Amino acid sequence: MNEKQIKWDEGFKAGRDYNPMNEILLDAILNKVENRKVNAIDLGCGTGDAVIKLAKLGMIVTGTDWSLEALRKAQERAETEDVAKNIRLREVDLNLLAEANLDKGQADIILCKLVIAFVSDKKAFCNEVKTLLNNAGVFIIQTPVLHEFV
């Protein structure tokens, strides 16, 4: 585990949850998909908020994060919410997404919420995401915007 991963683990151990998915974003995602019984991937799932919300809707969801502590908490939450059977959690460094051995061409939805800023080669990352999506798949990126007011 590298120094950055250790810092993320420490944050999750301290109880940080890093902006859970809001209902507006969830509605936007669902409006992009006709059949809600879909395969979804959450890249950088943290403690599993979005993963659990999507699984509760009947989706099969893969959650990825490079923090083992976040994945442990996500698994615990999935079991508590009785959706663990619809969730697969994987340790993945998004900078090495091509090496993650995720199912190619199967995802209907890929969610990347508040983590793209931590990906060093965004073009390679997006190209790899494209290989994971099926032909009608949707890639949703949410990122903060920093703006200095003049």
Side-chain angles (χ1 to χ4, degrees):
M1 188 176 290
N2 69 39
E3 189 175 313
K4 288 181 182 178
Q5 283 177 293
I6 292 169
K7 286 185 178 184
W8 281 100
D9 273 354
E10 288 172 356
F12 285 114
K13 283 180 184 174
R16 295 199 65 189
D17 204 8
Y18 303 100
N19 299 316
M21 184 169 75
N22 65 45
E23 298 305 315
I24 294 170
L25 178 59
L26 179 60
D27 288 343
I29 291 169
L30 297 177
N31 286 333
K32 297 292 180 188
V33 219
E34 291 179 20
N35 179 358
R36 292 192 181 178
K37 298 247 183 207
V38 298
N39 291 313
I41 300 173
D42 184 358
L43 300 171
C45 70
T47 59
D49 184 64
V51 170
I52 290 166
K53 285 180 180 179
L54 296 174
K56 282 183 173 182
L57 296 170
M59 296 183 189
I60 305 301
V61 188
T62 298
T64 73
D65 206 285
W66 75 339
S67 169
L68 292 175
E69 181 63 19
L71 293 172
R72 183 192 66 74
K73 287 186 173 191
Q75 182 66 41
E76 198 173 85
R77 289 176 71 187
E79 290 169 7
T80 299
E81 298 284 339
D82 198 30
V83 293
K85 67 184 179 302
N86 288 355
I87 294 173
R88 179 176 69 162
L89 298 170
R90 304 272 309 278
E91 179 187 5
V92 173
D93 179 343
L94 295 182
N95 287 299
L96 304 172
L97 185 58
E99 300 172 20
N101 294 319
L102 296 172
D103 296 331
K104 305 280 186 197
Q106 301 299 309
D108 298 292
I109 297 172
I110 296 180
L111 177 63
C112 180
K113 186 174 72 70
L114 304 173
V115 295
I116 192 79
F118 303 104
V119 174
S120 54
D121 186 343
K122 292 166 181 55
K123 183 176 181 179
F125 173 78
C126 289
N127 285 336
E128 184 59 28
V129 166
K130 186 177 179 181
T131 71
L132 301 173
L133 287 166
N134 64 34
N135 290 336
V138 177
F139 180 34
I140 300 168
I141 299 174
Q142 178 187 9
T143 187
V145 175
L146 301 177
H147 178 1
E148 290 185 30
F149 293 96
V150 180

